[in-house]
Amino acid sequence: MTTVGIRLVEGLIARGIDTVFGIPGVHTIELYRGLAAAQGKIRHVTTRHEQGAGFMADGYARVSGKSAAAFVITGPGLTNTLTAMAQAKADSVPMLVISGLGRSDTLGKGLGRLHELPDQGAMVATLCHTETVTDPKKLGEVLDRAFAAMTAGRPGPAHIQISTNMMGQPCPELPPPVVSGSAVPLPLGRLRSIAAALNAAERVVILAGGGTRGAEEPLQKLAESLDAPVIQTVNARGAMFGHRLTIPASPSLTSVRKFIADADQILAIGTELGPTDYDMYANGRVPNLSDMIRIDICAEQLARHPAKMPVKADAGAMMAALMPMTIRANRDGAARAAAVRQAARAEIAALDEGMPARLDMVEVIRDAMPNAIIVCDSTQPVYAANLYYDHDRPRGWFNAATGYGALGYAPGAAIGAAIAAPGVPVVCLIGDGGLQFSPGELRTAVDEKLPITYVVWNNAGFREIEDALRQAKVDPILGCHPSPLDMEHFAMACDMVFASVPPDPDQLGELLITPHDGPRFLEVQAR
């Protein structure tokens, strides 16, 4: 008998899903029957925690540009995954979470059944698109709607739940997938007026956000045509590595804000203009952007920050259409970009005497492991690099220190990244505090034999929070000093090669260039 669980896996494969992250349980047995029937066509990665399954799907999508799935049980399996779903929502990352559900004749009755929730679907609906499979004949329609929700317009997570008594029901062959969404038509009339405004300006500045991921070539060509410096938010870093027009610096820095304010035309592309990028110090000094030209795929985002010329459109398609309409002119873009890069770097040194050394450490990782993917958690070197750092690979630098800001993100996301890009070195940069949120996922990296270098910044606590408490004149004696793992013995328990160095970029660089097989664990003693 071909069941709903088997047809579901067939439907995922037909829609391009080739990897599933998850942990089997009594509420997903029939889904795993489907995976077993499809061996060789789809890969399953066993995680150590359902939150890790979500983070792995996130990292996989950011690097590959396509969706992965997570299989989790009802109740605690799904609630554990919600944090990862919220992170994906904040950063516009497509992922499909498929969860079990209790027997349909018991739902909402409070009978005390295993993993019971009052209304699981209603809980998820506050975050993203969710559906329940109630009829085997409509499984294909449910999948089509979920994929459309994930990928049409602004990407994000989607959820499908299936009751245990439905998973094993007979299911007919699914119809071919419906192509999700359709291309957003370009506003031809608006294109001409936008091009005219850009051509008339003398000091154009481009603000590039995560919506430009995958559109690095048209971004660079448009910038060159306009001779316009490009300020990249964290999720756009790596788009224009080393380019004369690149400004890989946070618009929260005073020097970058002044540069934005001095522009006579701002072109904002695929950026939500959120405070974790534009006002991370919460001082309210973001320049007035109301006269900007703004391109975004999401109408809701356009409404949140009104612009003189708002355009709902795909970033890559819009930039490609604009480029031949622009008039090439010398706007002194390279010199302007170089000046603000220098000012931003100097400003970072003035913010915190330890920040330049932490930034040096991140740059040493990049230079010692060229073209690597660096996946980060919330920790001091990452905060420094989010303020100013230029990565040498598109989609190669991302972290959870902006937006939703989930600690413990990086170990799982690094695994997803490594699976999405076989043979590419991956670095997981994480603090000792963040590591303790999800240490078990390092065993997943060992099981999968992934070339991940775990670099742990060990300052024996939550140092960034401690500094924030001191600035607020709160005694940091409580909560900021959890004891760290014994890193050497923890690495040994994970069967990983281990080395430890002081916070010296040169010593770290020497370790990083050492050849290795599989995952390894490097501690930076930052106490």
Side-chain angles (χ1 to χ4, degrees), residues 195-232:
L198 292 170
N199 290 333
E202 296 181 358
R203 298 181 306 281
V204 179
V205 171
I206 297 174
L207 305 178
T212 62
R213 284 183 305 220
E216 292 82 12
E217 183 178 351
L219 173 64
Q220 180 172 318
K221 287 183 176 180
L222 180 62
E224 290 171 349
S225 182
L226 292 168
D227 197 22
V230 181
I231 299 168
Q232 297 128 63

PDB file of all heavy atoms in Angstrom, residues 195-232:
ATOM      1  N   ALA A 195      15.363  55.454 -13.541  1.00  0.00           N
ATOM      2  CA  ALA A 195      16.624  55.651 -14.261  1.00  0.00           C
ATOM      3  C   ALA A 195      16.938  57.132 -14.420  1.00  0.00           C
ATOM      4  O   ALA A 195      18.097  57.550 -14.277  1.00  0.00           O
ATOM      5  CB  ALA A 195      16.553  54.960 -15.623  1.00  0.00           C
ATOM      6  N   ALA A 196      15.920  57.922 -14.684  1.00  0.00           N
ATOM      7  CA  ALA A 196      16.136  59.368 -14.835  1.00  0.00           C
ATOM      8  C   ALA A 196      16.637  59.982 -13.533  1.00  0.00           C
ATOM      9  O   ALA A 196      17.551  60.822 -13.533  1.00  0.00           O
ATOM     10  CB  ALA A 196      14.840  60.043 -15.282  1.00  0.00           C
ATOM     11  N   ALA A 197      16.049  59.580 -12.410  1.00  0.00           N
ATOM     12  CA  ALA A 197      16.478  60.108 -11.114  1.00  0.00           C
ATOM     13  C   ALA A 197      17.917  59.702 -10.802  1.00  0.00           C
ATOM     14  O   ALA A 197      18.711  60.510 -10.290  1.00  0.00           O
ATOM     15  CB  ALA A 197      15.535  59.616 -10.024  1.00  0.00           C
ATOM     16  N   LEU A 198      18.273  58.473 -11.117  1.00  0.00           N
ATOM     17  CA  LEU A 198      19.634  58.015 -10.855  1.00  0.00           C
ATOM     18  C   LEU A 198      20.633  58.725 -11.769  1.00  0.00           C
ATOM     19  O   LEU A 198      21.725  59.120 -11.333  1.00  0.00           O
ATOM     20  CB  LEU A 198      19.720  56.499 -11.059  1.00  0.00           C
ATOM     21  CG  LEU A 198      18.963  55.637 -10.040  1.00  0.00           C
ATOM     22  CD1 LEU A 198      18.930  54.182 -10.488  1.00  0.00           C
ATOM     23  CD2 LEU A 198      19.604  55.748  -8.655  1.00  0.00           C
ATOM     24  N   ASN A 199      20.262  58.898 -13.021  1.00  0.00           N
ATOM     25  CA  ASN A 199      21.168  59.558 -13.967  1.00  0.00           C
ATOM     26  C   ASN A 199      21.390  61.024 -13.610  1.00  0.00           C
ATOM     27  O   ASN A 199      22.463  61.576 -13.885  1.00  0.00           O
ATOM     28  CB  ASN A 199      20.609  59.453 -15.389  1.00  0.00           C
ATOM     29  CG  ASN A 199      20.676  58.035 -15.935  1.00  0.00           C
ATOM     30  OD1 ASN A 199      21.528  57.246 -15.537  1.00  0.00           O
ATOM     31  ND2 ASN A 199      19.759  57.704 -16.840  1.00  0.00           N
ATOM     32  N   ALA A 200      20.389  61.647 -13.009  1.00  0.00           N
ATOM     33  CA  ALA A 200      20.503  63.072 -12.666  1.00  0.00           C
ATOM     34  C   ALA A 200      21.310  63.311 -11.400  1.00  0.00           C
ATOM     35  O   ALA A 200      21.760  64.438 -11.143  1.00  0.00           O
ATOM     36  CB  ALA A 200      19.105  63.673 -12.511  1.00  0.00           C
ATOM     37  N   ALA A 201      21.489  62.282 -10.576  1.00  0.00           N
ATOM     38  CA  ALA A 201      22.177  62.442  -9.298  1.00  0.00           C
ATOM     39  C   ALA A 201      23.688  62.450  -9.483  1.00  0.00           C
ATOM     40  O   ALA A 201      24.226  61.854 -10.427  1.00  0.00           O
ATOM     41  CB  ALA A 201      21.767  61.331  -8.344  1.00  0.00           C
ATOM     42  N   GLU A 202      24.379  63.112  -8.558  1.00  0.00           N
ATOM     43  CA  GLU A 202      25.840  63.168  -8.594  1.00  0.00           C
ATOM     44  C   GLU A 202      26.476  62.276  -7.531  1.00  0.00           C
ATOM     45  O   GLU A 202      27.642  61.889  -7.660  1.00  0.00           O
ATOM     46  CB  GLU A 202      26.315  64.617  -8.397  1.00  0.00           C
ATOM     47  CG  GLU A 202      25.894  65.558  -9.516  1.00  0.00           C
ATOM     48  CD  GLU A 202      26.401  66.972  -9.286  1.00  0.00           C
ATOM     49  OE1 GLU A 202      27.049  67.205  -8.243  1.00  0.00           O
ATOM     50  OE2 GLU A 202      26.144  67.831 -10.151  1.00  0.00           O
ATOM     51  N   ARG A 203      25.724  61.975  -6.475  1.00  0.00           N
ATOM     52  CA  ARG A 203      26.279  61.183  -5.367  1.00  0.00           C
ATOM     53  C   ARG A 203      25.293  60.057  -5.029  1.00  0.00           C
ATOM     54  O   ARG A 203      24.630  60.092  -4.000  1.00  0.00           O
ATOM     55  CB  ARG A 203      26.545  62.058  -4.148  1.00  0.00           C
ATOM     56  CG  ARG A 203      27.573  63.158  -4.390  1.00  0.00           C
ATOM     57  CD  ARG A 203      27.825  64.004  -3.149  1.00  0.00           C
ATOM     58  NE  ARG A 203      26.598  64.547  -2.591  1.00  0.00           N
ATOM     59  CZ  ARG A 203      25.946  65.601  -3.050  1.00  0.00           C
ATOM     60  NH1 ARG A 203      26.390  66.243  -4.126  1.00  0.00           N
ATOM     61  NH2 ARG A 203      24.837  66.034  -2.468  1.00  0.00           N
ATOM     62  N   VAL A 204      25.209  59.070  -5.907  1.00  0.00           N
ATOM     63  CA  VAL A 204      24.325  57.935  -5.679  1.00  0.00           C
ATOM     64  C   VAL A 204      24.980  56.978  -4.690  1.00  0.00           C
ATOM     65  O   VAL A 204      26.182  56.703  -4.775  1.00  0.00           O
ATOM     66  CB  VAL A 204      24.027  57.188  -6.999  1.00  0.00           C
ATOM     67  CG1 VAL A 204      23.119  55.985  -6.735  1.00  0.00           C
ATOM     68  CG2 VAL A 204      23.405  58.128  -8.018  1.00  0.00           C
ATOM     69  N   VAL A 205      24.185  56.475  -3.748  1.00  0.00           N
ATOM     70  CA  VAL A 205      24.640  55.443  -2.812  1.00  0.00           C
ATOM     71  C   VAL A 205      23.624  54.306  -2.847  1.00  0.00           C
ATOM     72  O   VAL A 205      22.418  54.537  -2.773  1.00  0.00           O
ATOM     73  CB  VAL A 205      24.778  55.988  -1.379  1.00  0.00           C
ATOM     74  CG1 VAL A 205      25.031  54.847  -0.386  1.00  0.00           C
ATOM     75  CG2 VAL A 205      25.912  57.000  -1.304  1.00  0.00           C
ATOM     76  N   ILE A 206      24.124  53.077  -2.964  1.00  0.00           N
ATOM     77  CA  ILE A 206      23.262  51.899  -2.975  1.00  0.00           C
ATOM     78  C   ILE A 206      23.319  51.217  -1.611  1.00  0.00           C
ATOM     79  O   ILE A 206      24.410  50.988  -1.069  1.00  0.00           O
ATOM     80  CB  ILE A 206      23.700  50.910  -4.077  1.00  0.00           C
ATOM     81  CG1 ILE A 206      23.549  51.550  -5.457  1.00  0.00           C
ATOM     82  CG2 ILE A 206      22.882  49.620  -4.003  1.00  0.00           C
ATOM     83  CD1 ILE A 206      24.104  50.702  -6.592  1.00  0.00           C
ATOM     84  N   LEU A 207      22.152  50.912  -1.052  1.00  0.00           N
ATOM     85  CA  LEU A 207      22.040  50.118   0.175  1.00  0.00           C
ATOM     86  C   LEU A 207      21.592  48.722  -0.245  1.00  0.00           C
ATOM     87  O   LEU A 207      20.472  48.551  -0.733  1.00  0.00           O
ATOM     88  CB  LEU A 207      21.026  50.741   1.143  1.00  0.00           C
ATOM     89  CG  LEU A 207      21.237  52.201   1.539  1.00  0.00           C
ATOM     90  CD1 LEU A 207      20.106  52.655   2.463  1.00  0.00           C
ATOM     91  CD2 LEU A 207      22.590  52.389   2.221  1.00  0.00           C
ATOM     92  N   ALA A 208      22.453  47.731  -0.067  1.00  0.00           N
ATOM     93  CA  ALA A 208      22.153  46.363  -0.514  1.00  0.00           C
ATOM     94  C   ALA A 208      21.911  45.475   0.699  1.00  0.00           C
ATOM     95  O   ALA A 208      22.752  45.387   1.592  1.00  0.00           O
ATOM     96  CB  ALA A 208      23.297  45.813  -1.356  1.00  0.00           C
ATOM     97  N   GLY A 209      20.755  44.808   0.714  1.00  0.00           N
ATOM     98  CA  GLY A 209      20.412  43.908   1.804  1.00  0.00           C
ATOM     99  C   GLY A 209      20.398  42.459   1.362  1.00  0.00           C
ATOM    100  O   GLY A 209      20.819  42.107   0.250  1.00  0.00           O
ATOM    101  N   GLY A 210      19.871  41.610   2.242  1.00  0.00           N
ATOM    102  CA  GLY A 210      19.832  40.179   1.966  1.00  0.00           C
ATOM    103  C   GLY A 210      19.032  39.816   0.733  1.00  0.00           C
ATOM    104  O   GLY A 210      19.216  38.732   0.171  1.00  0.00           O
ATOM    105  N   GLY A 211      18.144  40.708   0.282  1.00  0.00           N
ATOM    106  CA  GLY A 211      17.371  40.456  -0.921  1.00  0.00           C
ATOM    107  C   GLY A 211      18.204  40.460  -2.191  1.00  0.00           C
ATOM    108  O   GLY A 211      17.723  40.075  -3.258  1.00  0.00           O
ATOM    109  N   THR A 212      19.469  40.878  -2.092  1.00  0.00           N
ATOM    110  CA  THR A 212      20.360  40.841  -3.262  1.00  0.00           C
ATOM    111  C   THR A 212      21.163  39.539  -3.330  1.00  0.00           C
ATOM    112  O   THR A 212      21.942  39.352  -4.271  1.00  0.00           O
ATOM    113  CB  THR A 212      21.346  42.024  -3.244  1.00  0.00           C
ATOM    114  OG1 THR A 212      22.186  41.938  -2.079  1.00  0.00           O
ATOM    115  CG2 THR A 212      20.596  43.348  -3.234  1.00  0.00           C
ATOM    116  N   ARG A 213      20.976  38.640  -2.347  1.00  0.00           N
ATOM    117  CA  ARG A 213      21.661  37.346  -2.415  1.00  0.00           C
ATOM    118  C   ARG A 213      21.242  36.618  -3.691  1.00  0.00           C
ATOM    119  O   ARG A 213      20.059  36.529  -4.014  1.00  0.00           O
ATOM    120  CB  ARG A 213      21.308  36.478  -1.204  1.00  0.00           C
ATOM    121  CG  ARG A 213      21.996  36.876   0.080  1.00  0.00           C
ATOM    122  CD  ARG A 213      21.649  35.933   1.212  1.00  0.00           C
ATOM    123  NE  ARG A 213      20.221  35.795   1.422  1.00  0.00           N
ATOM    124  CZ  ARG A 213      19.643  35.730   2.624  1.00  0.00           C
ATOM    125  NH1 ARG A 213      20.365  35.817   3.718  1.00  0.00           N
ATOM    126  NH2 ARG A 213      18.342  35.576   2.728  1.00  0.00           N
ATOM    127  N   GLY A 214      22.219  36.112  -4.394  1.00  0.00           N
ATOM    128  CA  GLY A 214      21.943  35.444  -5.661  1.00  0.00           C
ATOM    129  C   GLY A 214      21.872  36.403  -6.836  1.00  0.00           C
ATOM    130  O   GLY A 214      21.720  35.964  -7.981  1.00  0.00           O
ATOM    131  N   ALA A 215      21.974  37.699  -6.566  1.00  0.00           N
ATOM    132  CA  ALA A 215      21.924  38.695  -7.647  1.00  0.00           C
ATOM    133  C   ALA A 215      23.172  39.571  -7.587  1.00  0.00           C
ATOM    134  O   ALA A 215      23.121  40.769  -7.879  1.00  0.00           O
ATOM    135  CB  ALA A 215      20.665  39.548  -7.524  1.00  0.00           C
ATOM    136  N   GLU A 216      24.292  38.964  -7.232  1.00  0.00           N
ATOM    137  CA  GLU A 216      25.526  39.731  -7.062  1.00  0.00           C
ATOM    138  C   GLU A 216      26.019  40.338  -8.375  1.00  0.00           C
ATOM    139  O   GLU A 216      26.515  41.471  -8.401  1.00  0.00           O
ATOM    140  CB  GLU A 216      26.612  38.840  -6.446  1.00  0.00           C
ATOM    141  CG  GLU A 216      26.366  38.429  -5.006  1.00  0.00           C
ATOM    142  CD  GLU A 216      25.437  37.241  -4.865  1.00  0.00           C
ATOM    143  OE1 GLU A 216      25.146  36.580  -5.899  1.00  0.00           O
ATOM    144  OE2 GLU A 216      25.006  36.959  -3.729  1.00  0.00           O
ATOM    145  N   GLU A 217      25.863  39.605  -9.477  1.00  0.00           N
ATOM    146  CA  GLU A 217      26.353  40.121 -10.759  1.00  0.00           C
ATOM    147  C   GLU A 217      25.597  41.371 -11.210  1.00  0.00           C
ATOM    148  O   GLU A 217      26.224  42.389 -11.549  1.00  0.00           O
ATOM    149  CB  GLU A 217      26.290  39.033 -11.833  1.00  0.00           C
ATOM    150  CG  GLU A 217      26.855  39.484 -13.172  1.00  0.00           C
ATOM    151  CD  GLU A 217      26.837  38.387 -14.226  1.00  0.00           C
ATOM    152  OE1 GLU A 217      26.536  37.235 -13.870  1.00  0.00           O
ATOM    153  OE2 GLU A 217      27.119  38.689 -15.408  1.00  0.00           O
ATOM    154  N   PRO A 218      24.241  41.363 -11.221  1.00  0.00           N
ATOM    155  CA  PRO A 218      23.560  42.602 -11.598  1.00  0.00           C
ATOM    156  C   PRO A 218      23.801  43.745 -10.612  1.00  0.00           C
ATOM    157  O   PRO A 218      23.834  44.918 -11.014  1.00  0.00           O
ATOM    158  CB  PRO A 218      22.073  42.213 -11.646  1.00  0.00           C
ATOM    159  CG  PRO A 218      21.974  40.893 -10.973  1.00  0.00           C
ATOM    160  CD  PRO A 218      23.295  40.242 -11.110  1.00  0.00           C
ATOM    161  N   LEU A 219      23.998  43.423  -9.330  1.00  0.00           N
ATOM    162  CA  LEU A 219      24.309  44.472  -8.358  1.00  0.00           C
ATOM    163  C   LEU A 219      25.628  45.139  -8.711  1.00  0.00           C
ATOM    164  O   LEU A 219      25.722  46.384  -8.739  1.00  0.00           O
ATOM    165  CB  LEU A 219      24.377  43.865  -6.948  1.00  0.00           C
ATOM    166  CG  LEU A 219      24.853  44.808  -5.836  1.00  0.00           C
ATOM    167  CD1 LEU A 219      23.882  45.972  -5.642  1.00  0.00           C
ATOM    168  CD2 LEU A 219      25.038  44.041  -4.525  1.00  0.00           C
ATOM    169  N   GLN A 220      26.640  44.349  -8.994  1.00  0.00           N
ATOM    170  CA  GLN A 220      27.945  44.913  -9.321  1.00  0.00           C
ATOM    171  C   GLN A 220      27.894  45.717 -10.625  1.00  0.00           C
ATOM    172  O   GLN A 220      28.450  46.819 -10.709  1.00  0.00           O
ATOM    173  CB  GLN A 220      28.983  43.797  -9.435  1.00  0.00           C
ATOM    174  CG  GLN A 220      30.386  44.296  -9.764  1.00  0.00           C
ATOM    175  CD  GLN A 220      31.420  43.188  -9.680  1.00  0.00           C
ATOM    176  OE1 GLN A 220      31.395  42.371  -8.780  1.00  0.00           O
ATOM    177  NE2 GLN A 220      32.344  43.161 -10.644  1.00  0.00           N
ATOM    178  N   LYS A 221      27.208  45.187 -11.622  1.00  0.00           N
ATOM    179  CA  LYS A 221      27.141  45.891 -12.903  1.00  0.00           C
ATOM    180  C   LYS A 221      26.389  47.215 -12.786  1.00  0.00           C
ATOM    181  O   LYS A 221      26.790  48.229 -13.379  1.00  0.00           O
ATOM    182  CB  LYS A 221      26.483  44.998 -13.950  1.00  0.00           C
ATOM    183  CG  LYS A 221      27.373  43.855 -14.422  1.00  0.00           C
ATOM    184  CD  LYS A 221      26.702  43.043 -15.522  1.00  0.00           C
ATOM    185  CE  LYS A 221      27.642  41.964 -16.060  1.00  0.00           C
ATOM    186  NZ  LYS A 221      26.995  41.160 -17.126  1.00  0.00           N
ATOM    187  N   LEU A 222      25.299  47.205 -12.013  1.00  0.00           N
ATOM    188  CA  LEU A 222      24.549  48.455 -11.829  1.00  0.00           C
ATOM    189  C   LEU A 222      25.391  49.469 -11.072  1.00  0.00           C
ATOM    190  O   LEU A 222      25.415  50.661 -11.426  1.00  0.00           O
ATOM    191  CB  LEU A 222      23.245  48.174 -11.088  1.00  0.00           C
ATOM    192  CG  LEU A 222      22.355  49.394 -10.820  1.00  0.00           C
ATOM    193  CD1 LEU A 222      21.909  50.037 -12.136  1.00  0.00           C
ATOM    194  CD2 LEU A 222      21.140  49.004  -9.979  1.00  0.00           C
ATOM    195  N   ALA A 223      26.090  49.013 -10.036  1.00  0.00           N
ATOM    196  CA  ALA A 223      26.943  49.924  -9.269  1.00  0.00           C
ATOM    197  C   ALA A 223      28.026  50.527 -10.154  1.00  0.00           C
ATOM    198  O   ALA A 223      28.316  51.731 -10.075  1.00  0.00           O
ATOM    199  CB  ALA A 223      27.568  49.172  -8.088  1.00  0.00           C
ATOM    200  N   GLU A 224      28.623  49.702 -11.010  1.00  0.00           N
ATOM    201  CA  GLU A 224      29.674  50.202 -11.902  1.00  0.00           C
ATOM    202  C   GLU A 224      29.114  51.190 -12.915  1.00  0.00           C
ATOM    203  O   GLU A 224      29.753  52.210 -13.221  1.00  0.00           O
ATOM    204  CB  GLU A 224      30.340  49.031 -12.611  1.00  0.00           C
ATOM    205  CG  GLU A 224      31.187  48.176 -11.675  1.00  0.00           C
ATOM    206  CD  GLU A 224      31.670  46.887 -12.318  1.00  0.00           C
ATOM    207  OE1 GLU A 224      31.174  46.550 -13.419  1.00  0.00           O
ATOM    208  OE2 GLU A 224      32.529  46.216 -11.716  1.00  0.00           O
ATOM    209  N   SER A 225      27.920  50.916 -13.424  1.00  0.00           N
ATOM    210  CA  SER A 225      27.327  51.829 -14.389  1.00  0.00           C
ATOM    211  C   SER A 225      27.030  53.184 -13.757  1.00  0.00           C
ATOM    212  O   SER A 225      27.217  54.232 -14.385  1.00  0.00           O
ATOM    213  CB  SER A 225      26.043  51.216 -14.953  1.00  0.00           C
ATOM    214  OG  SER A 225      25.467  52.052 -15.925  1.00  0.00           O
ATOM    215  N   LEU A 226      26.582  53.159 -12.505  1.00  0.00           N
ATOM    216  CA  LEU A 226      26.249  54.396 -11.797  1.00  0.00           C
ATOM    217  C   LEU A 226      27.463  55.000 -11.081  1.00  0.00           C
ATOM    218  O   LEU A 226      27.366  56.105 -10.539  1.00  0.00           O
ATOM    219  CB  LEU A 226      25.155  54.131 -10.764  1.00  0.00           C
ATOM    220  CG  LEU A 226      23.772  53.770 -11.312  1.00  0.00           C
ATOM    221  CD1 LEU A 226      22.881  53.250 -10.193  1.00  0.00           C
ATOM    222  CD2 LEU A 226      23.135  54.982 -11.981  1.00  0.00           C
ATOM    223  N   ASP A 227      28.578  54.247 -11.062  1.00  0.00           N
ATOM    224  CA  ASP A 227      29.748  54.640 -10.266  1.00  0.00           C
ATOM    225  C   ASP A 227      29.304  54.951  -8.832  1.00  0.00           C
ATOM    226  O   ASP A 227      29.691  55.966  -8.244  1.00  0.00           O
ATOM    227  CB  ASP A 227      30.452  55.841 -10.893  1.00  0.00           C
ATOM    228  CG  ASP A 227      31.876  56.013 -10.356  1.00  0.00           C
ATOM    229  OD1 ASP A 227      32.443  55.025  -9.851  1.00  0.00           O
ATOM    230  OD2 ASP A 227      32.405  57.141 -10.415  1.00  0.00           O
ATOM    231  N   ALA A 228      28.496  54.031  -8.279  1.00  0.00           N
ATOM    232  CA  ALA A 228      27.868  54.249  -6.980  1.00  0.00           C
ATOM    233  C   ALA A 228      28.437  53.302  -5.928  1.00  0.00           C
ATOM    234  O   ALA A 228      28.426  52.078  -6.124  1.00  0.00           O
ATOM    235  CB  ALA A 228      26.356  54.040  -7.076  1.00  0.00           C
ATOM    236  N   PRO A 229      28.934  53.802  -4.811  1.00  0.00           N
ATOM    237  CA  PRO A 229      29.366  52.937  -3.716  1.00  0.00           C
ATOM    238  C   PRO A 229      28.194  52.100  -3.199  1.00  0.00           C
ATOM    239  O   PRO A 229      27.039  52.548  -3.196  1.00  0.00           O
ATOM    240  CB  PRO A 229      29.849  53.926  -2.650  1.00  0.00           C
ATOM    241  CG  PRO A 229      30.226  55.157  -3.423  1.00  0.00           C
ATOM    242  CD  PRO A 229      29.222  55.225  -4.545  1.00  0.00           C
ATOM    243  N   VAL A 230      28.494  50.881  -2.746  1.00  0.00           N
ATOM    244  CA  VAL A 230      27.471  49.941  -2.287  1.00  0.00           C
ATOM    245  C   VAL A 230      27.715  49.591  -0.824  1.00  0.00           C
ATOM    246  O   VAL A 230      28.712  48.941  -0.487  1.00  0.00           O
ATOM    247  CB  VAL A 230      27.466  48.656  -3.139  1.00  0.00           C
ATOM    248  CG1 VAL A 230      26.365  47.705  -2.661  1.00  0.00           C
ATOM    249  CG2 VAL A 230      27.281  48.992  -4.610  1.00  0.00           C
ATOM    250  N   ILE A 231      26.808  50.004   0.049  1.00  0.00           N
ATOM    251  CA  ILE A 231      26.851  49.649   1.470  1.00  0.00           C
ATOM    252  C   ILE A 231      26.082  48.348   1.650  1.00  0.00           C
ATOM    253  O   ILE A 231      24.914  48.262   1.267  1.00  0.00           O
ATOM    254  CB  ILE A 231      26.239  50.764   2.334  1.00  0.00           C
ATOM    255  CG1 ILE A 231      27.034  52.060   2.168  1.00  0.00           C
ATOM    256  CG2 ILE A 231      26.185  50.350   3.805  1.00  0.00           C
ATOM    257  CD1 ILE A 231      26.348  53.285   2.753  1.00  0.00           C
ATOM    258  N   GLN A 232      26.742  47.332   2.211  1.00  0.00           N
ATOM    259  CA  GLN A 232      26.105  46.027   2.354  1.00  0.00           C
ATOM    260  C   GLN A 232      25.759  45.734   3.810  1.00  0.00           C
ATOM    261  O   GLN A 232      26.614  45.848   4.691  1.00  0.00           O
ATOM    262  CB  GLN A 232      27.040  44.926   1.833  1.00  0.00           C
ATOM    263  CG  GLN A 232      27.350  45.036   0.361  1.00  0.00           C
ATOM    264  CD  GLN A 232      28.842  45.015   0.092  1.00  0.00           C
ATOM    265  OE1 GLN A 232      29.517  44.048   0.377  1.00  0.00           O
ATOM    266  NE2 GLN A 232      29.352  46.107  -0.467  1.00  0.00           N
TER     267      GLN A 232
END
